[in-house]
Amino acid sequence: MKPEITLKEVNYENYDELIDLRVKVDQRNFVASNIYSLAEAYAVISSKGYALPFGIYLGDKPVGFLMIGYCPDLEYAKGICNEGEEIPYFLPGSYEVWRFMIDKRYQHRGYGSEALKLALEFIKTKPLGEAEYCCLSYEPENEVARKLYRSFGFEEKELPKGWDEVPAVLKL
Ligand SMILES: CC(C)(COP(=O)(O)OP(=O)(O)OC[C@H]1O[C@@H](n2cnc3c(N)ncnc32)[C@H](O)[C@@H]1OP(=O)(O)O)[C@@H](O)C(=O)NCCC(=O)NCCS
């Protein structure tokens, strides 16, 4: 039977329990902490940008965190890329799975796959505006993430100049 996973918006009721979630020590390099991601989401939203943070829940139990971004056009892409970073062709006009983690206590039980499936279904409704692609990136040594994204149809791309994470792209 499929796990009953849902995505819930982050609000005053649940932000605290999401901050408590942790990856394994040897995975800390793969994803920012949830407290950092929520601070970043606040900063992006208050600068009129796009960030949609969600808790990943098994029933009422928080098991992970996921954040979706949106880059409508080249102007916005210039604002989110650091100096010296190439703007790849797929970034303007894309959604991003920007952060994605399952707490160390709940990994390898199918929750991550189910959450990613829900996130992609949501992205395909184009909730923030039109887009051609969904993209994301991962550390080159993150084999679990690479395999998972590939199973959803993400195609790995060459490392753009100035990037240190491998991008992968799904045509919407
Ligand atoms: C990547 C991550 C979100 C996957 O979540 P998860 O709930 O553990 O994944 P699932 O249980 O749904 O498994 C997805 C696939 O990965 C495989 N997998 C999961 N954990 C694994 C492990 N420790 N070793 C080997 N394979 C593993 C599963 O077997 C499954 O593959 P299958 O469909 O071929 O069986 C989770 O491992 C994680 O939080 N990692 C640390 C943070 C991170 O890397 N985030 C992504 C940043 S880009």
Side-chain angles (χ1 to χ4, degrees), residues 82-104:
N82 296 323
E83 214 179 299
E85 281 179 4
E86 182 186 339
I87 299 174
Y89 73 89
F90 50 80
L91 193 57
S94 70
Y95 285 85
E96 295 94 48
V97 179
W98 187 3
R99 297 284 150 68
F100 178 35
M101 61 81 75
I102 296 290
D103 181 273
K104 59 187 175 191

PDB file of all heavy atoms in Angstrom, residues 82-104:
ATOM      1  N   ASN A  82      24.206  34.049  -8.594  1.00  0.00           N
ATOM      2  CA  ASN A  82      25.311  34.852  -8.060  1.00  0.00           C
ATOM      3  C   ASN A  82      26.205  35.313  -9.201  1.00  0.00           C
ATOM      4  O   ASN A  82      26.167  34.738 -10.296  1.00  0.00           O
ATOM      5  CB  ASN A  82      26.137  34.025  -7.071  1.00  0.00           C
ATOM      6  CG  ASN A  82      25.322  33.639  -5.862  1.00  0.00           C
ATOM      7  OD1 ASN A  82      24.496  34.423  -5.382  1.00  0.00           O
ATOM      8  ND2 ASN A  82      25.533  32.428  -5.377  1.00  0.00           N
ATOM      9  N   GLU A  83      27.030  36.323  -8.905  1.00  0.00           N
ATOM     10  CA  GLU A  83      27.951  36.819  -9.922  1.00  0.00           C
ATOM     11  C   GLU A  83      28.873  35.676 -10.379  1.00  0.00           C
ATOM     12  O   GLU A  83      29.347  34.896  -9.540  1.00  0.00           O
ATOM     13  CB  GLU A  83      28.773  37.959  -9.319  1.00  0.00           C
ATOM     14  CG  GLU A  83      29.097  39.021 -10.351  1.00  0.00           C
ATOM     15  CD  GLU A  83      29.882  40.138  -9.711  1.00  0.00           C
ATOM     16  OE1 GLU A  83      29.346  40.772  -8.790  1.00  0.00           O
ATOM     17  OE2 GLU A  83      31.038  40.354 -10.157  1.00  0.00           O
ATOM     18  N   GLY A  84      29.090  35.568 -11.669  1.00  0.00           N
ATOM     19  CA  GLY A  84      29.983  34.526 -12.184  1.00  0.00           C
ATOM     20  C   GLY A  84      29.264  33.222 -12.485  1.00  0.00           C
ATOM     21  O   GLY A  84      29.845  32.310 -13.056  1.00  0.00           O
ATOM     22  N   GLU A  85      28.006  33.117 -12.065  1.00  0.00           N
ATOM     23  CA  GLU A  85      27.246  31.896 -12.358  1.00  0.00           C
ATOM     24  C   GLU A  85      26.521  32.042 -13.692  1.00  0.00           C
ATOM     25  O   GLU A  85      25.799  33.025 -13.905  1.00  0.00           O
ATOM     26  CB  GLU A  85      26.199  31.632 -11.261  1.00  0.00           C
ATOM     27  CG  GLU A  85      26.755  31.011 -10.012  1.00  0.00           C
ATOM     28  CD  GLU A  85      25.691  30.799  -8.936  1.00  0.00           C
ATOM     29  OE1 GLU A  85      24.497  31.066  -9.200  1.00  0.00           O
ATOM     30  OE2 GLU A  85      26.060  30.397  -7.838  1.00  0.00           O
ATOM     31  N   GLU A  86      26.724  31.063 -14.548  1.00  0.00           N
ATOM     32  CA  GLU A  86      26.025  31.052 -15.838  1.00  0.00           C
ATOM     33  C   GLU A  86      24.519  30.874 -15.613  1.00  0.00           C
ATOM     34  O   GLU A  86      24.109  30.136 -14.722  1.00  0.00           O
ATOM     35  CB  GLU A  86      26.581  29.872 -16.641  1.00  0.00           C
ATOM     36  CG  GLU A  86      26.011  29.725 -18.021  1.00  0.00           C
ATOM     37  CD  GLU A  86      26.525  28.427 -18.679  1.00  0.00           C
ATOM     38  OE1 GLU A  86      27.590  27.891 -18.250  1.00  0.00           O
ATOM     39  OE2 GLU A  86      25.855  27.961 -19.591  1.00  0.00           O
ATOM     40  N   ILE A  87      23.711  31.547 -16.435  1.00  0.00           N
ATOM     41  CA  ILE A  87      22.260  31.331 -16.376  1.00  0.00           C
ATOM     42  C   ILE A  87      21.914  30.289 -17.434  1.00  0.00           C
ATOM     43  O   ILE A  87      21.960  30.583 -18.630  1.00  0.00           O
ATOM     44  CB  ILE A  87      21.479  32.641 -16.646  1.00  0.00           C
ATOM     45  CG1 ILE A  87      21.847  33.672 -15.574  1.00  0.00           C
ATOM     46  CG2 ILE A  87      19.976  32.367 -16.661  1.00  0.00           C
ATOM     47  CD1 ILE A  87      21.255  35.043 -15.799  1.00  0.00           C
ATOM     48  N   PRO A  88      21.621  29.049 -17.026  1.00  0.00           N
ATOM     49  CA  PRO A  88      21.351  28.016 -18.030  1.00  0.00           C
ATOM     50  C   PRO A  88      20.020  28.263 -18.738  1.00  0.00           C
ATOM     51  O   PRO A  88      19.134  28.945 -18.195  1.00  0.00           O
ATOM     52  CB  PRO A  88      21.323  26.731 -17.212  1.00  0.00           C
ATOM     53  CG  PRO A  88      21.067  27.138 -15.811  1.00  0.00           C
ATOM     54  CD  PRO A  88      21.508  28.552 -15.649  1.00  0.00           C
ATOM     55  N   TYR A  89      19.878  27.707 -19.933  1.00  0.00           N
ATOM     56  CA  TYR A  89      18.714  27.996 -20.779  1.00  0.00           C
ATOM     57  C   TYR A  89      17.383  27.653 -20.093  1.00  0.00           C
ATOM     58  O   TYR A  89      16.358  28.263 -20.355  1.00  0.00           O
ATOM     59  CB  TYR A  89      18.819  27.230 -22.110  1.00  0.00           C
ATOM     60  CG  TYR A  89      18.561  25.739 -21.985  1.00  0.00           C
ATOM     61  CD1 TYR A  89      17.270  25.217 -22.105  1.00  0.00           C
ATOM     62  CD2 TYR A  89      19.600  24.854 -21.704  1.00  0.00           C
ATOM     63  CE1 TYR A  89      17.034  23.863 -21.956  1.00  0.00           C
ATOM     64  CE2 TYR A  89      19.367  23.500 -21.550  1.00  0.00           C
ATOM     65  CZ  TYR A  89      18.092  23.008 -21.671  1.00  0.00           C
ATOM     66  OH  TYR A  89      17.850  21.677 -21.499  1.00  0.00           O
ATOM     67  N   PHE A  90      17.430  26.652 -19.190  1.00  0.00           N
ATOM     68  CA  PHE A  90      16.169  26.168 -18.620  1.00  0.00           C
ATOM     69  C   PHE A  90      15.696  26.980 -17.419  1.00  0.00           C
ATOM     70  O   PHE A  90      14.582  26.800 -16.954  1.00  0.00           O
ATOM     71  CB  PHE A  90      16.301  24.688 -18.225  1.00  0.00           C
ATOM     72  CG  PHE A  90      17.524  24.392 -17.383  1.00  0.00           C
ATOM     73  CD1 PHE A  90      17.533  24.659 -16.035  1.00  0.00           C
ATOM     74  CD2 PHE A  90      18.661  23.871 -17.967  1.00  0.00           C
ATOM     75  CE1 PHE A  90      18.659  24.409 -15.271  1.00  0.00           C
ATOM     76  CE2 PHE A  90      19.795  23.600 -17.202  1.00  0.00           C
ATOM     77  CZ  PHE A  90      19.799  23.878 -15.854  1.00  0.00           C
ATOM     78  N   LEU A  91      16.544  27.896 -16.910  1.00  0.00           N
ATOM     79  CA  LEU A  91      16.165  28.583 -15.663  1.00  0.00           C
ATOM     80  C   LEU A  91      15.043  29.617 -15.868  1.00  0.00           C
ATOM     81  O   LEU A  91      14.037  29.577 -15.159  1.00  0.00           O
ATOM     82  CB  LEU A  91      17.411  29.204 -15.017  1.00  0.00           C
ATOM     83  CG  LEU A  91      17.234  29.680 -13.579  1.00  0.00           C
ATOM     84  CD1 LEU A  91      16.753  28.560 -12.663  1.00  0.00           C
ATOM     85  CD2 LEU A  91      18.537  30.249 -13.038  1.00  0.00           C
ATOM     86  N   PRO A  92      15.179  30.527 -16.845  1.00  0.00           N
ATOM     87  CA  PRO A  92      14.046  31.451 -17.046  1.00  0.00           C
ATOM     88  C   PRO A  92      12.851  30.654 -17.584  1.00  0.00           C
ATOM     89  O   PRO A  92      12.960  29.970 -18.592  1.00  0.00           O
ATOM     90  CB  PRO A  92      14.562  32.428 -18.123  1.00  0.00           C
ATOM     91  CG  PRO A  92      16.045  32.214 -18.191  1.00  0.00           C
ATOM     92  CD  PRO A  92      16.289  30.795 -17.784  1.00  0.00           C
ATOM     93  N   GLY A  93      11.728  30.719 -16.890  1.00  0.00           N
ATOM     94  CA  GLY A  93      10.564  29.930 -17.296  1.00  0.00           C
ATOM     95  C   GLY A  93      10.604  28.543 -16.690  1.00  0.00           C
ATOM     96  O   GLY A  93      10.403  27.549 -17.376  1.00  0.00           O
ATOM     97  N   SER A  94      10.899  28.493 -15.386  1.00  0.00           N
ATOM     98  CA  SER A  94      10.969  27.165 -14.747  1.00  0.00           C
ATOM     99  C   SER A  94      10.477  27.221 -13.301  1.00  0.00           C
ATOM    100  O   SER A  94      10.506  28.272 -12.654  1.00  0.00           O
ATOM    101  CB  SER A  94      12.406  26.647 -14.752  1.00  0.00           C
ATOM    102  OG  SER A  94      13.193  27.408 -13.865  1.00  0.00           O
ATOM    103  N   TYR A  95       9.994  26.081 -12.842  1.00  0.00           N
ATOM    104  CA  TYR A  95       9.805  25.845 -11.408  1.00  0.00           C
ATOM    105  C   TYR A  95      11.042  25.094 -10.921  1.00  0.00           C
ATOM    106  O   TYR A  95      11.705  24.422 -11.714  1.00  0.00           O
ATOM    107  CB  TYR A  95       8.549  25.011 -11.157  1.00  0.00           C
ATOM    108  CG  TYR A  95       7.291  25.832 -11.325  1.00  0.00           C
ATOM    109  CD1 TYR A  95       6.726  26.014 -12.582  1.00  0.00           C
ATOM    110  CD2 TYR A  95       6.710  26.449 -10.232  1.00  0.00           C
ATOM    111  CE1 TYR A  95       5.587  26.801 -12.739  1.00  0.00           C
ATOM    112  CE2 TYR A  95       5.575  27.230 -10.379  1.00  0.00           C
ATOM    113  CZ  TYR A  95       5.020  27.408 -11.637  1.00  0.00           C
ATOM    114  OH  TYR A  95       3.909  28.196 -11.779  1.00  0.00           O
ATOM    115  N   GLU A  96      11.342  25.234  -9.639  1.00  0.00           N
ATOM    116  CA  GLU A  96      12.464  24.487  -9.076  1.00  0.00           C
ATOM    117  C   GLU A  96      12.011  23.726  -7.834  1.00  0.00           C
ATOM    118  O   GLU A  96      11.245  24.275  -7.035  1.00  0.00           O
ATOM    119  CB  GLU A  96      13.608  25.409  -8.621  1.00  0.00           C
ATOM    120  CG  GLU A  96      14.292  26.171  -9.711  1.00  0.00           C
ATOM    121  CD  GLU A  96      13.681  27.548  -9.865  1.00  0.00           C
ATOM    122  OE1 GLU A  96      13.494  28.234  -8.853  1.00  0.00           O
ATOM    123  OE2 GLU A  96      13.371  27.910 -11.015  1.00  0.00           O
ATOM    124  N   VAL A  97      12.470  22.487  -7.722  1.00  0.00           N
ATOM    125  CA  VAL A  97      12.400  21.820  -6.419  1.00  0.00           C
ATOM    126  C   VAL A  97      13.680  22.271  -5.734  1.00  0.00           C
ATOM    127  O   VAL A  97      14.777  21.827  -6.042  1.00  0.00           O
ATOM    128  CB  VAL A  97      12.333  20.291  -6.543  1.00  0.00           C
ATOM    129  CG1 VAL A  97      12.296  19.654  -5.160  1.00  0.00           C
ATOM    130  CG2 VAL A  97      11.112  19.882  -7.359  1.00  0.00           C
ATOM    131  N   TRP A  98      13.516  23.210  -4.836  1.00  0.00           N
ATOM    132  CA  TRP A  98      14.633  24.006  -4.353  1.00  0.00           C
ATOM    133  C   TRP A  98      15.233  23.344  -3.112  1.00  0.00           C
ATOM    134  O   TRP A  98      16.461  23.322  -2.947  1.00  0.00           O
ATOM    135  CB  TRP A  98      14.059  25.387  -4.069  1.00  0.00           C
ATOM    136  CG  TRP A  98      14.969  26.478  -3.717  1.00  0.00           C
ATOM    137  CD1 TRP A  98      16.331  26.447  -3.662  1.00  0.00           C
ATOM    138  CD2 TRP A  98      14.567  27.792  -3.371  1.00  0.00           C
ATOM    139  NE1 TRP A  98      16.805  27.673  -3.302  1.00  0.00           N
ATOM    140  CE2 TRP A  98      15.743  28.516  -3.117  1.00  0.00           C
ATOM    141  CE3 TRP A  98      13.339  28.445  -3.237  1.00  0.00           C
ATOM    142  CZ2 TRP A  98      15.715  29.853  -2.731  1.00  0.00           C
ATOM    143  CZ3 TRP A  98      13.313  29.773  -2.866  1.00  0.00           C
ATOM    144  CH2 TRP A  98      14.501  30.465  -2.625  1.00  0.00           C
ATOM    145  N   ARG A  99      14.397  22.830  -2.249  1.00  0.00           N
ATOM    146  CA  ARG A  99      14.856  22.072  -1.071  1.00  0.00           C
ATOM    147  C   ARG A  99      13.981  20.829  -0.946  1.00  0.00           C
ATOM    148  O   ARG A  99      12.780  20.880  -1.249  1.00  0.00           O
ATOM    149  CB  ARG A  99      14.730  22.897   0.222  1.00  0.00           C
ATOM    150  CG  ARG A  99      15.577  24.132   0.244  1.00  0.00           C
ATOM    151  CD  ARG A  99      17.059  23.810   0.503  1.00  0.00           C
ATOM    152  NE  ARG A  99      17.927  24.778  -0.132  1.00  0.00           N
ATOM    153  CZ  ARG A  99      18.045  26.063   0.203  1.00  0.00           C
ATOM    154  NH1 ARG A  99      17.362  26.580   1.197  1.00  0.00           N
ATOM    155  NH2 ARG A  99      18.870  26.847  -0.465  1.00  0.00           N
ATOM    156  N   PHE A 100      14.589  19.763  -0.472  1.00  0.00           N
ATOM    157  CA  PHE A 100      13.850  18.505  -0.355  1.00  0.00           C
ATOM    158  C   PHE A 100      14.588  17.616   0.633  1.00  0.00           C
ATOM    159  O   PHE A 100      15.760  17.308   0.431  1.00  0.00           O
ATOM    160  CB  PHE A 100      13.799  17.853  -1.749  1.00  0.00           C
ATOM    161  CG  PHE A 100      13.112  16.514  -1.816  1.00  0.00           C
ATOM    162  CD1 PHE A 100      12.014  16.209  -1.019  1.00  0.00           C
ATOM    163  CD2 PHE A 100      13.550  15.550  -2.712  1.00  0.00           C
ATOM    164  CE1 PHE A 100      11.382  14.986  -1.098  1.00  0.00           C
ATOM    165  CE2 PHE A 100      12.924  14.322  -2.812  1.00  0.00           C
ATOM    166  CZ  PHE A 100      11.840  14.039  -1.996  1.00  0.00           C
ATOM    167  N   MET A 101      13.926  17.261   1.721  1.00  0.00           N
ATOM    168  CA  MET A 101      14.553  16.357   2.694  1.00  0.00           C
ATOM    169  C   MET A 101      13.491  15.518   3.387  1.00  0.00           C
ATOM    170  O   MET A 101      12.350  15.939   3.550  1.00  0.00           O
ATOM    171  CB  MET A 101      15.384  17.132   3.718  1.00  0.00           C
ATOM    172  CG  MET A 101      14.650  18.125   4.582  1.00  0.00           C
ATOM    173  SD  MET A 101      13.776  17.425   6.015  1.00  0.00           S
ATOM    174  CE  MET A 101      15.116  17.087   7.125  1.00  0.00           C
ATOM    175  N   ILE A 102      13.895  14.302   3.764  1.00  0.00           N
ATOM    176  CA  ILE A 102      13.108  13.452   4.650  1.00  0.00           C
ATOM    177  C   ILE A 102      13.960  13.244   5.904  1.00  0.00           C
ATOM    178  O   ILE A 102      15.164  12.966   5.805  1.00  0.00           O
ATOM    179  CB  ILE A 102      12.784  12.092   3.974  1.00  0.00           C
ATOM    180  CG1 ILE A 102      11.902  12.279   2.729  1.00  0.00           C
ATOM    181  CG2 ILE A 102      12.125  11.125   4.970  1.00  0.00           C
ATOM    182  CD1 ILE A 102      10.465  12.718   2.984  1.00  0.00           C
ATOM    183  N   ASP A 103      13.349  13.426   7.068  1.00  0.00           N
ATOM    184  CA  ASP A 103      14.070  13.271   8.336  1.00  0.00           C
ATOM    185  C   ASP A 103      14.735  11.897   8.406  1.00  0.00           C
ATOM    186  O   ASP A 103      14.190  10.896   7.931  1.00  0.00           O
ATOM    187  CB  ASP A 103      13.070  13.436   9.492  1.00  0.00           C
ATOM    188  CG  ASP A 103      13.740  13.324  10.840  1.00  0.00           C
ATOM    189  OD1 ASP A 103      13.881  12.182  11.337  1.00  0.00           O
ATOM    190  OD2 ASP A 103      14.145  14.370  11.383  1.00  0.00           O
ATOM    191  N   LYS A 104      15.903  11.859   9.039  1.00  0.00           N
ATOM    192  CA  LYS A 104      16.704  10.623   9.106  1.00  0.00           C
ATOM    193  C   LYS A 104      15.925   9.434   9.685  1.00  0.00           C
ATOM    194  O   LYS A 104      16.173   8.292   9.329  1.00  0.00           O
ATOM    195  CB  LYS A 104      17.982  10.863   9.916  1.00  0.00           C
ATOM    196  CG  LYS A 104      17.748  11.321  11.329  1.00  0.00           C
ATOM    197  CD  LYS A 104      19.049  11.703  12.003  1.00  0.00           C
ATOM    198  CE  LYS A 104      18.762  12.271  13.386  1.00  0.00           C
ATOM    199  NZ  LYS A 104      19.911  12.882  14.004  1.00  0.00           N
TER     200      LYS A 104
END
